[in-house]
Amino acid sequence: MSVAPISTSSVNAIKGTEFEGMSIQMMAAMVMLEVGATKKKEAEMKISDMKAQNDKAKKLNNLLDKMNSELGQYTKDEDKDKKGRAAILSKYAGEAKALGVDTSNWSGDKSAEQIRAISSTIQHMAENCNSDNQTQMVKLQDFMGQYNSFVSGASDQIKNANQILQGL
């Protein structure tokens, strides 16, 4: 069984497309640039996601700092301290809820131990945001590497096409 060679005129005659009349190298370069542009958009979306995660972590840490600065005055588990803690939790419940904190157990008088558990939960959420950002950074680096590879490949294809043209 033999395979007949494909003439170059039929390969680069993709009629009705933007590739019509282009050399194979130029078609490959165009495709690589398009895929590279897609990888760049994916990287930009990843950066946006990371910024949102970072902003959320900052807001959670700020909330925790504000709460802790006010909660520090209540050092005992007497009724007046428990009521004071409850008032502070009530004050910050809306902000916490907007950040995704489960505030369902924030009502009522709270012991120092219960406050530590709530603070720990908020701190854990902020740490998770930071940890997620580290994972996202690896994905971002992958997208940027792919982008660079496609742009470099396109450049090589254009260089090859120019060398062929110069040889003619």
Side-chain angles (χ1 to χ4, degrees):
M1 180 171 156
S2 64
V3 176
I6 300 173
S7 73
T8 55
S9 61
S10 66
V11 170
N12 51 2
I14 304 175
K15 302 211 182 295
T17 70
E18 62 185 295
F19 299 119
E20 187 172 341
M22 278 188 194
S23 69
I24 293 172
Q25 290 84 4
M26 290 305 289
M27 281 188 258
M30 293 287 291
V31 169
M32 287 180 184
L33 287 173
E34 189 64 34
V35 173
T38 300
K39 294 302 174 186
K40 182 180 176 186
K41 286 179 186 169
E42 289 173 350
E44 289 169 347
M45 290 183 349
K46 197 62 62 187
I47 289 169
S48 178
D49 292 346
M50 290 170 63
K51 183 181 179 321
Q53 281 287 89
N54 191 44
D55 290 346
K56 183 176 178 180
K58 283 181 184 177
K59 288 177 183 176
L60 286 165
N61 283 323
N62 287 339
L63 170 67
L64 189 58
D65 289 344
K66 289 188 292 188
M67 288 174 54
N68 284 339
S69 70
E70 291 184 39
L71 288 166
Q73 64 184 314
Y74 301 106
T75 58
K76 299 179 181 169
D77 274 340
E78 297 173 1
D79 285 344
K80 66 178 182 157
D81 286 347
K82 289 180 180 181
K83 289 186 186 322
R85 289 185 195 111
I88 292 169
L89 288 179
S90 176
K91 176 180 175 181
Y92 291 107
E95 184 179 347
K97 194 170 190 170
L99 292 170
V101 178
D102 178 12
T103 59
S104 61
N105 65 340
W106 283 31
S107 60
D109 297 348
K110 298 293 177 203
S111 69
E113 185 63 32
Q114 290 169 316
I115 293 297
R116 279 191 289 279
I118 289 170
S119 294
S120 178
T121 298
I122 296 170
Q123 185 175 10
H124 183 69
M125 287 178 70
E127 288 169 358
N128 279 345
C129 288
N130 292 329
S131 177
D132 286 348
N133 259 357
Q134 290 173 353
T135 302
Q136 298 302 324
M137 181 59 79
V138 171
K139 291 178 182 177
L140 172 64
Q141 289 170 339
D142 181 47
F143 286 132
M144 291 308 298
Q146 290 177 39
Y147 167 76
N148 289 334
S149 293
F150 282 113
V151 171
S152 176
S155 177
D156 289 345
Q157 290 299 327
I158 292 169
K159 190 184 322 174
N160 289 342
N162 285 336
Q163 287 173 351
I164 290 170
L165 287 174
Q166 288 175 353
L168 297 175

